Amino acid sequence: MSDEQNQQPIIPNPPAGGEEISAEAQEPISDKSEEYLNNWRRALADYDNLKKETVARRAEWAQYSEQQILEEFIPVYEHLKLALQGANESNSWLEGVKHVLKQFSDIFKAHGVEEIKTVGEKFDPNLHEAVGHEESEDKDEGEIIREVAGGYKMGERVIRAAKVIINK
């Protein structure tokens, strides 16, 4: 510690008999109390900032946990969609599977998960993963021709990129 930090302000003994303390004697006391007040205000502001940061981090962790759980359901949802694509309309169990698929879709929507649009859209490397190329006369270059696996995003965050075939 430096000598300045070690020096204590000299506070005179209070005068006897009700005499007032001179302005010169009060100055070191006033400076020290002002310093304590400013330090207290800084500490209070730091504590408020810490509380706000903690609340923000907890919300981020909760969202991340929710995202991880929903990611585990995506393959089940995808397989149900694939099963329905190859099913005959005459099967009685088909209506039950369609209902389960709709429940999954509703749960995803309630949690802010949405499917990434693919077929007919322009390829976007932020949303899509090209797994192949094909040539089609009636499509523009870089346009998505077919979806191999669905993609999903939660808000603006991509959970899983859509796997697609694009036009050369």
Side-chain angles (χ1 to χ4, degrees):
M1 290 185 139
S2 68
D3 287 342
E4 284 183 345
Q5 291 175 338
N6 283 335
Q7 290 180 350
Q8 297 290 326
I10 300 172
I11 303 172
N13 291 331
E19 298 174 22
E20 288 190 26
I21 301 174
S22 69
E24 290 176 1
Q26 286 183 353
E27 193 173 303
I29 297 170
S30 177
D31 289 346
K32 200 64 170 170
S33 66
E34 188 70 29
E35 180 184 338
Y36 289 148
L37 182 62
N38 288 335
N39 287 341
W40 175 78
R41 286 179 179 154
R42 274 192 220 99
L44 187 59
D46 287 344
Y47 180 67
D48 285 343
N49 290 338
L50 177 66
K51 285 194 313 187
K52 290 175 188 174
E53 185 180 324
T54 302
V55 167
R57 284 194 181 179
R58 283 184 181 165
E60 186 180 313
W61 290 338
Q63 184 181 15
Y64 182 70
S65 296
E66 179 182 34
Q67 178 183 330
Q68 283 183 316
I69 291 168
L70 292 170
E71 281 179 25
E72 293 179 24
F73 284 108
I74 287 174
V76 177
Y77 180 70
E78 282 290 308
H79 288 127
L80 279 173
K81 284 179 20 180
L82 287 173
L84 287 176
Q85 286 177 356
N88 295 332
E89 292 294 325
S90 63
N91 290 337
S92 61
W93 62 270
L94 188 59
E95 290 304 314
V97 174
K98 283 182 180 179
H99 183 68
V100 170
L101 190 64
K102 182 174 179 346
Q103 284 180 317
F104 267 114
S105 179
D106 292 345
I107 289 170
F108 286 152
K109 284 179 187 169
H111 290 278
V113 176
E114 55 187 271
E115 290 187 57
I116 296 172
K117 295 179 182 174
T118 55
V119 177
E121 298 288 319
K122 185 82 172 157
F123 177 77
D124 180 353
N126 297 316
L127 302 173
H128 309 114
E129 177 184 340
V131 293
H133 293 80
E134 290 181 4
E135 201 164 320
S136 176
E137 298 292 327
D138 60 333
K139 303 283 184 183
D140 293 335
E141 185 176 337
E143 187 176 331
I144 298 171
I145 298 173
R146 192 173 62 219
E147 178 180 299
V148 176
Y152 299 87
K153 63 182 185 172
M154 187 175 192
E156 293 301 314
R157 186 184 307 181
V158 174
I159 296 174
R160 185 172 94 177
K163 295 180 180 182
V164 297
I165 305 291
I166 60 175
N167 191 29
K168 280 187 178 181

